[in-house]
Amino acid sequence: MSTDTVGLEKATATAPANIAFVKYWGAVDLERALPVNRSISMTLSHSCTRCTVLPREDGSSHEVYLVDETGDRVEAPEGFAGRVLSHLDRLRGWAGYDGFFRVATRNNFPMATGLGSSASGFAALTLATTRALGRELSPRTLSVLSRRSGSGSAARSAMGGYVEWPGGDVPDVAERGLAAPEDDSGGHARVLAPAEHWDLRDVVAVVETGAKPVPSVEGHRRAGTSPYYERRLELLPDRLERVRRGIRERDLELLGAVLEREAVDLHLVAMSSRPPIFYWTGGTLEVIREVRAMREDGVNAYFSIDAGPNVHVICEPDLEDAVAGRLGSLAAVRTLIRDGVGQGPIVSDDHLL
Ligand code: PMV
């Protein structure tokens, strides 16, 4: 064990999920999660992952558990556990530690359903592990290390409020204004505006709780095979600017129009990739129709959908109850999550192990 690991201790961190207003879809380097395009998101106040990491000085391998809603520890699903193990190895390499960890992680929302559990999960894992190794990270370093898990959106979950992730460091991508060059903080996210700037609400209509059919990482890999992928990239600089302005000026109509186009185009690209990926279900469409009907009735709310069937509906606080009432009465909606804009990750003593 290396000498600078003195101070090993159990550590727990909680990190928020986020909803992408402009989506990361397609990578120039999937292993390092360097995206083709910039993305912007809102950090969520309710949906989060809590993660406890216990260094095991006597162990010979890592152990990874999920804590379910009853508080029981269960084996983590294979795919997720594999990604956690690789990230633990990456982090111990970074810190110069050659021991092992026991990890327990708990989400307060359904996992792998397009609600951001990998973003919150890997940001929480990164913060808890580095804290267990006695390291204090700046939000910027937390963002870079979380991104290196392979979940690019985890780079944004390292920060609170409204967050932009400038993205990759590949010159031709930077020249097209899609992503920033390395010297312009490409590898980490930055706060566009703090949560206090604009109290937006996100009523999430959960129409499916089972794991999505194709993980995001595979969606990024296939994105470039869609004939519509390049066209979406051409549209992005203007969309990014509108989203920044919408946030700056607290203009929900401006922001909302882009949110919906982005949600549709992400899925258009996914559905036209080879082989195609269909994340939407009948329930997704039922919610989309209801949001459009709401607007006709003067309820100003807009949908966004990440890589899954579940739908985020963004509105201002005075309309949250009306939106929840309308969505809650739909046959397709199993549960609603009442969320809003929130703060970045925190460390606590609320251990899971
Ligand atoms: O960070 P990943 O690899 O889980 O990909 C995220 C993909 C989307 O959620 C669809 C978009 C985004 O920017 O969060």
Side-chain angles (χ1 to χ4, degrees), residues 187-267:
H188 64 84
R190 65 191 172 89
V191 175
L192 277 179
E196 296 71 28
H197 168 73
W198 193 12
D199 183 7
L200 278 184
R201 302 296 163 88
D202 178 5
V203 182
V204 185
V206 178
V207 296
E208 299 290 335
T209 51
K212 60 193 180 194
V214 180
S216 306
V217 68
E218 186 56 32
H220 296 302
R221 190 173 287 124
R222 292 184 204 171
T225 64
S226 163
Y228 306 108
Y229 185 66
E230 279 295 319
R231 180 64 187 138
R232 172 170 180 269
L233 294 182
E234 284 166 20
L235 297 168
L236 279 188
D238 177 62
R239 285 187 186 171
L240 285 157
E241 197 38 48
R242 282 169 193 266
V243 167
R244 288 187 204 108
R245 186 149 61 87
I247 293 169
R248 195 167 56 238
E249 297 174 3
R250 300 187 195 91
D251 182 339
L252 186 55
E253 275 163 40
L254 176 64
L255 176 68
V258 185
L259 282 193
E260 295 197 347
R261 276 180 221 138
E262 264 296 284
V264 171
D265 285 5
L266 167 74
H267 290 271

Side-chain angles (χ1 to χ4, degrees), residues 139-348:
R140 186 176 164 148
T141 307
L142 177 61
S143 179
V144 172
L145 289 180
S146 301
R147 190 203 88 223
R148 293 288 281 112
S149 68
S151 171
S153 53
R156 300 188 311 247
S157 275
M159 296 178 190
Y162 299 89
V163 178
E164 176 160 355
W165 173 28
D169 52 5
V170 175
D172 68 319
V173 167
E175 268 162 33
R176 294 162 70 195
L178 293 166
E182 201 163 21
D183 59 6
D184 182 19
S185 68
H188 64 84
R190 65 191 172 89
V191 175
L192 277 179
E196 296 71 28
H197 168 73
W198 193 12
D199 183 7
L200 278 184
R201 302 296 163 88
D202 178 5
V203 182
V204 185
V206 178
V207 296
E208 299 290 335
T209 51
K212 60 193 180 194
V214 180
S216 306
V217 68
E218 186 56 32
H220 296 302
R221 190 173 287 124
R222 292 184 204 171
T225 64
S226 163
Y228 306 108
Y229 185 66
E230 279 295 319
R231 180 64 187 138
R232 172 170 180 269
L233 294 182
E234 284 166 20
L235 297 168
L236 279 188
D238 177 62
R239 285 187 186 171
L240 285 157
E241 197 38 48
R242 282 169 193 266
V243 167
R244 288 187 204 108
R245 186 149 61 87
I247 293 169
R248 195 167 56 238
E249 297 174 3
R250 300 187 195 91
D251 182 339
L252 186 55
E253 275 163 40
L254 176 64
L255 176 68
V258 185
L259 282 193
E260 295 197 347
R261 276 180 221 138
E262 264 296 284
V264 171
D265 285 5
L266 167 74
H267 290 271
L268 173 75
V269 169
M271 288 183 212
S272 54
S273 295
R274 271 174 269 148
I277 308 170
F278 299 100
Y279 288 120
W280 288 12
T281 64
T284 312
L285 273 172
E286 197 178 326
V287 177
I288 290 175
R289 284 199 195 99
E290 185 63 17
V291 173
R292 291 169 65 85
M294 275 189 231
R295 279 209 300 278
E296 278 171 22
D297 299 340
V299 179
N300 207 23
Y302 297 86
F303 66 83
S304 182
I305 310 164
D306 277 346
N310 299 313
V311 186
H312 296 253
V313 182
I314 307 292
C315 63
E316 302 222 56
D318 57 332
L319 292 176
E320 183 187 342
D321 286 344
V323 169
R326 299 260 309 235
L327 296 178
S329 68
L330 298 178
V333 174
R334 292 167 179 234
T335 45
L336 290 178
I337 300 171
R338 302 272 205 126
D339 224 317
V341 59
Q343 310 294 338
I346 52 163
V347 171
S348 73

